[in-house]
Amino acid sequence: MLQRAEPQDFDRVLSSMCTAPHPAAREAAERFLATNPGDPGTYETVAELEAEAVEYLGELTGLTDPAGYVASGGTEANIQAIRIARNRADTDDPNVVAPVHAHFSFTKAADVLGVELRTAPAEDYRVNPEAMAQLIDDDTVCVVGVAGSTEYGYVDPIPAIAKLARETGALCHVDAAWGGFYLPFTDHAWHFGHADVDTMTIDPHKVGQAAVPAGGLLARDETLLDELAVETPYLESTSQLTLTGTRSGAGVASAVAAMEALWPAGYREQYECSMDNARWLADQLRARGHDVVDPELPLVAADLSVPMTDELRDRGWRVSKTGAGEMRVVCMPHVTRSMLRSFVADLDWY
């Protein structure tokens, strides 16, 4: 089977938040595949590259002296952020307050860490800060905002969320796993420079065009990462703060290669192209009588029926639905106008 198998092309993938890696990222991933940033004393070069990746991510997110590491993805980074908040808090009954549209990784985090997850409702696809405030109490260890939601691509009011956290002594975590590489080219207030954010998830292997896996966890203050550290007596380094131990240097090296090649002009050009594509598709779907959620970032959700979505899948399109049943199209870097024209033509055929 393996000798015959080929990876799927991206030419009909419309709902994934992963994309084809940049050529420089692909080449770097292959070169550093066997290195282990989990043992920085032995693999010094990849450890230096990881520090460079964190610096790039700090520049993206308005953080002049960033701390963090390259994780396996947004799930690990979100779990680690909640772990930081839980470990530093003085409570035996910790809870986390997050939007109802927070990524399912927060449900995993709550289960793994023994933390109660409280979810606040949304208005116009963004969390309601007043509803969040009603859920916060003395045992709240973290208040979460989403900067580019998975289902709709909308950005929560991060400054208001950070203010709630600060007033109650909780940490503020922002999940910008997908949106973080688009948001620098918008007017949104979403990062460390806009609000008193403590930790952030931002994934180079999504819009950043690094090879999978390459997520990112950032912290405003390096002392926050001390909450994660465990002793590593048999390694050259004395402690480790990552959730996984052995990690491939492929993600680290590819993240640096992609950001070196694309930041900032290439990412700005990609945002503008992807946003134009999202608006074009939204207009096409509206013209055909579908209700469309106005795209705030390059993601389009529309009320295509389940049979119609299933028919599109049968014709080879890889599309998924929101929890409310709308079809969602994520305009990732590999999604071209030509792809979207073909998609609309198949929609018309149906």
Side-chain angles (χ1 to χ4, degrees):
M1 172 66 181
L2 181 60
Q3 291 179 341
R4 301 191 306 273
E6 290 292 334
Q8 286 180 253
D9 291 331
F10 281 89
D11 58 358
R12 291 209 161 204
V13 175
L14 289 179
S15 292
S16 176
M17 286 184 164
C18 291
T19 193
H22 188 278
R26 185 187 297 273
E27 189 272 335
E30 290 176 353
R31 282 194 295 126
F32 283 86
L33 188 63
T35 62
N36 176 19
D39 184 4
T42 301
Y43 297 94
E44 295 177 349
T45 301
V46 78
E48 292 170 359
L49 284 175
E50 186 163 35
E52 189 174 344
V54 170
E55 287 294 326
Y56 267 120
L57 292 174
E59 188 175 346
L60 274 157
T61 60
L63 193 56
T64 56
D65 189 20
Y69 74 94
V70 176
S72 59
T75 292
E76 179 184 340
N78 287 335
I79 291 173
Q80 289 283 76
I82 302 307
R83 186 173 161 221
I84 290 170
R86 184 202 65 176
N87 288 357
R88 71 181 287 278
D90 184 18
T91 176
D92 295 325
D93 191 22
N95 69 73
V96 172
V97 176
V100 69
H101 49 261
H103 189 260
F104 56 74
S105 55
F106 290 98
T107 302
K108 294 182 182 181
D111 183 41
V112 168
L113 299 170
V115 172
E116 178 189 0
L117 178 62
R118 301 176 178 178
T119 57
E123 293 181 0
D124 296 326
Y125 309 101
R126 304 176 189 89
V127 74
N128 181 341
E130 293 181 2
M132 293 190 98
Q134 294 176 12
L135 298 175
I136 295 171
D137 60 24
D138 292 341
D139 293 315
T140 301
V141 299
C142 187
V143 185
V144 176
V146 181
S149 61
T150 305
E151 291 188 303
Y152 297 103
Y154 272 55
V155 180
D156 288 326
I158 301 303
I161 293 170
K163 185 173 184 290
L164 285 175
R166 197 59 53 220
E167 290 172 348
T168 55
L171 292 186
C172 176
H173 176 66
V174 172
D175 181 4
W178 175 72
F181 277 82
Y182 280 142
L183 284 164
F185 312 108
T186 73
D187 294 329
H188 289 286
W190 65 282
H191 64 44
F192 294 97
H194 300 138
D196 204 2
V197 173
D198 295 292
T199 56
M200 179 175 291
T201 294
I202 177 171
D203 285 357
H205 71 203
K206 292 185 171 71
V207 178
Q209 300 179 51
V212 175
L217 174 66
L218 296 179
R220 179 183 291 276
D221 189 331
E222 192 167 8
T223 60
L224 289 171
L225 299 181
D226 292 341
E227 301 290 347
L228 303 174
V230 298
E231 294 182 1
T232 54
Y234 60 86
L235 298 181
E236 287 193 45
S237 55
T238 58
S239 67
Q240 188 179 87
L241 57 86
T242 57
L243 186 60
T244 55
T246 300
R247 297 177 287 140
S248 173
V252 171
S254 70
V256 173
M259 290 186 286
E260 281 184 345
L262 294 168
W263 174 255
Y267 288 130
R268 178 184 293 278
E269 181 180 350
Q270 183 58 64
Y271 163 73
E272 292 171 351
C273 177
S274 294
M275 200 67 227
D276 284 346
N277 283 337
R279 293 186 179 114
W280 181 87
L281 178 61
D283 289 343
Q284 294 296 314
L285 295 176
R286 283 195 196 94
R288 287 158 174 79
H290 299 287
D291 290 332
V292 178
V293 179
D294 284 331
E296 185 164 274
L297 291 177
L299 192 160
V300 179
D303 68 338
L304 276 72
S305 67
V306 172
M308 188 180 296
T309 301
D310 289 342
E311 179 65 32
L312 290 166
R313 287 174 175 166
D314 289 342
R315 295 179 72 81
W317 295 103
R318 312 319 302 166
V319 288
S320 64
K321 295 172 288 186
T322 68
E326 300 127 321
M327 187 196 66
R328 55 189 283 278
V329 172
V330 188
C331 292
M332 294 295 285
H334 69 269
V335 176
T336 64
R337 184 66 60 86
S338 177
M339 280 176 65
L340 295 176
R341 290 186 189 280
S342 296
F343 175 72
V344 170
D346 275 0
L347 191 63
D348 288 341
W349 176 89
Y350 178 87

